[in-house]
Structure formats: C-alpha cells, structure tokens
Amino acid sequence: MPTRRSLLAASLAAGFAAFVATPAMAQTKLPVVATMSILGDFVKNVGGDRVEVATLVGPNGDAHVYTPTPADAKKVAAAKVVFVNGLGLEGWMTRLIKASGTKAPTVTATDGVKSRKMEEEGRQITDPHAWQDVSNAKIYVADIRDGLIAADPAGKSTYEANATAYLAKLDELQKEVKAAIGKIPADRRRIITTHDAFGYFGAAYGMEFISPEGVSTETEASAKDVAKIISQIKKQKIPAVFMENISDPRMMQQIAKESGAKIGGTLFSDALSDEKGPAPTYIDMMHNNIRQFSAALMS
Ligand code: ZN
C-alpha cells in the first residue's frame, strides 16, 4: 500500500512532468505580425507552435488599398518581428509602424527576390506579386526563417526543421504547377485578369496575363481600358477571363459578355480564402488557380 505521502509525491512528480513536457505554452509564444494572409501562412508554417501570428489584411482582403485600424497598431506594438512583403505592396505600412511606436525589426520577405518591373502609362512600376512564382515563395520562407531565428535564437532548430519540411512541400508544388501549365496548349495560355497580379506566374510558367487595371488595384480601369481589352480579346482570340477573390467581379462579367470570352472562375491573387473556402493556405491557393486555368483552357 502506498502511503499518503508517497501518493502526494507521485502526483507532484506527474504534475511537474506534465509542466516541463509543454515547452511552448501560450504566454511564451513569440508574437509576430504579417501584413497579409499569404505571408501569414508562410510565417505559420515556419514558426509552428513557437509563434503567434497576427495577420493584418485577412482572407480575401486587398493589401494594396488598406486602412489600418487602432487594433492593428496594437498588434504591431506587441510584435517581436514584423513581416512585410515589400516591393511597394503595403504603402500604408510605414505610417502604421511609426504610429505603433514598435521597436521590433521589420523583415522584408522578398529580400533576395529578383523583382519584375512593368511599364504603366510610361512609368516603370515594380510588381509586388512575387509570391505567384513558387521559387520566390521559397525565398520568402528562407527570409522568414532567418528573421525568426534572429528574434528568437532559442528556437533555431525548430525554425530550421519547419522551414526545411515546408520547402520540400514547395518543391513538390513547383513540379505540380509546371506539369499542370505544361499540359495546356501554348496558344491557349493567354488570359484576362482584373489587375496585373500574375506577372511572376506568367514569367515562371509560360503564360500571358492581360489586365484592364495595373499592378495595383488603387486606380480603377477606365471605360477606355475596358474597351481596349474587349477588342484585344476579339482580335487575339483570348479564350477566357478570370475573376479575382479581392476584386469586384462585375467588370470581368461585363468584359466576358461583350467579348464572347468564357468566364474562367475565381483566381486567388493577393489573398487566401477563409478556412471554409478553396484556398485557406498558399499551397491550396496555387492548387486552386492551376485547377481553374486547366478547367477553362483545356476545354
Ligand atoms: Zn495585387
């Protein structure tokens, strides 16, 4: 028969074991901020249980044109690292960082990406949508890993292991995207989207994207832009127009109706869907988009 004292000692020991077996407890998680949902997904994959990610522009949100809230300033103030896309995507971020008073380092996840420039009304504009090329997503992941290690050196082995596992998934995704686009006949790989979000995708995988809006959603397409696209669709026999999760679908519906092009479904360009949607993660988003391209362009 165990004595009362030995039972107490045993239960204390069990309690202590349970305590030390839970290394990443809620209050010890590293609070970090990601400006938009795609970046937030990358940070979650690399940070795992050690980090608490607050995403500012949520599912289906437009990071080009965003008005930060006082709650966002609090999240930035509490963060130990702030992850941004850069390349001119989050024009509102500099002011928010300043207003929050944060001293946390800002990590630009596109550092090391070879950026694309596009000509818009005679000006050279940097295209911020680098994540649309999976090989760039791998650079984001490496930058995020290094940023987390710098802020939380005790987690180095965890961040390295998580990044390596996720990079292997991205290698797999890269093969899938190349294979899917490779099956679409070359002369069918030309489509219309609302804004120029797929330049990196087009350059990496061999597809042409034409848009009535530019690389930002800030300026709406004019009637002249829309008319130009409609005549281009007819002249070049462009097979399909696609809607985007962050943009009003009506302009694309009008273009499809007036040009006779097929509506090719909804692409996820600048943001993920919510949990119930078809693109709650970056990998799901890329799978969704290649599925939409194949469905519309192979038939
Ligand atoms: Zn965009």
Side-chain angles (χ1 to χ4, degrees):
M1 282 281 286
T3 64
R4 181 183 290 237
R5 187 183 289 259
S6 70
L7 272 177
L8 179 67
S11 83
L12 275 176
F16 184 69
F19 177 76
V20 295
T22 320
M25 294 198 305
Q27 69 269 30
T28 64
K29 284 193 183 188
L30 186 76
V32 302
V33 157
T35 50
M36 36 97 82
S37 54
I38 297 166
L39 200 53
D41 181 48
F42 293 147
V43 178
K44 281 178 200 162
N45 274 286
V46 180
D49 293 336
R50 288 189 73 92
V51 306
E52 185 70 47
V53 186
T55 298
L56 302 182
V57 183
N60 303 313
D62 183 347
H64 294 284
V65 284
Y66 180 68
T67 308
T69 64
D72 292 332
K74 277 190 198 157
K75 288 175 192 166
V76 173
K80 297 290 183 203
V81 193
V82 176
F83 292 98
V84 303
N85 181 81
L87 303 180
L89 177 70
E90 309 102 327
W92 40 273
M93 198 57 193
T94 313
R95 231 163 63 198
L96 177 61
I97 286 176
K98 203 164 172 215
S100 76
T102 184
K103 297 278 180 287
T106 299
V107 172
T108 303
T110 51
D111 271 355
V113 165
K114 195 174 176 298
S115 65
R116 286 181 79 251
K117 297 259 194 285
M118 294 188 88
E119 193 176 313
E120 245 170 55
E121 285 155 6
R123 288 190 305 145
Q124 288 286 314
I125 307 223
T126 303
D127 180 354
H129 307 89
W131 61 84
Q132 288 290 350
D133 174 348
V134 179
S135 57
N136 288 339
K138 292 177 65 179
I139 296 174
Y140 281 63
V141 169
D143 287 337
I144 290 164
R145 176 198 60 207
D146 296 347
L148 288 174
I149 292 172
D152 174 26
K156 185 171 188 276
S157 58
T158 305
Y159 299 136
E160 283 175 345
N162 289 348
T164 302
Y166 187 61
L167 288 169
K169 289 186 191 171
L170 294 183
D171 282 334
E172 202 50 47
L173 177 66
Q174 175 79 309
K175 284 184 210 154
E176 288 170 330
V177 176
K178 281 186 177 165
I181 304 305
K183 281 184 195 147
I184 301 171
D187 63 343
R188 304 269 299 167
R189 291 188 216 153
R190 189 190 280 157
I191 63 166
I192 310 285
T193 55
T194 313
H195 83 296
D196 270 321
F198 293 91
Y200 290 90
F201 188 103
Y205 307 110
M207 233 164 121
E208 192 184 344
F209 293 84
I210 300 142
S211 323
E213 287 178 7
V215 291
S216 176
T217 53
E218 256 164 330
T219 37
E220 281 179 31
S222 65
K224 202 175 128 203
D225 295 330
V226 172
K228 204 175 112 194
I229 288 276
I230 290 169
S231 76
Q232 195 172 358
I233 293 172
K234 289 180 181 165
K235 208 163 24 178
Q236 303 183 350
K237 299 194 169 51
I238 295 171
V241 308
F242 287 80
M243 292 168 294
E244 282 171 25
N245 67 319
I246 65 156
S247 301
D248 187 327
R250 283 174 296 188
M251 178 172 64
M252 286 295 114
Q253 286 159 347
Q254 182 209 341
I255 289 174
K257 201 171 142 205
E258 291 183 26
S259 66
K262 175 171 20 175
I263 291 217
T266 299
L267 300 174
F268 287 76
S269 54
D270 296 22
L272 303 176
S273 69
D274 62 20
E275 279 304 315
K276 294 192 186 106
T281 70
Y282 172 74
I283 291 175
D284 291 331
M285 171 184 110
M286 297 303 282
H287 281 158
N288 171 82
N289 291 352
I290 57 176
R291 237 183 357 252
Q292 302 291 341
F293 294 143
S294 303
L297 302 176
M298 306 263 299
S299 54

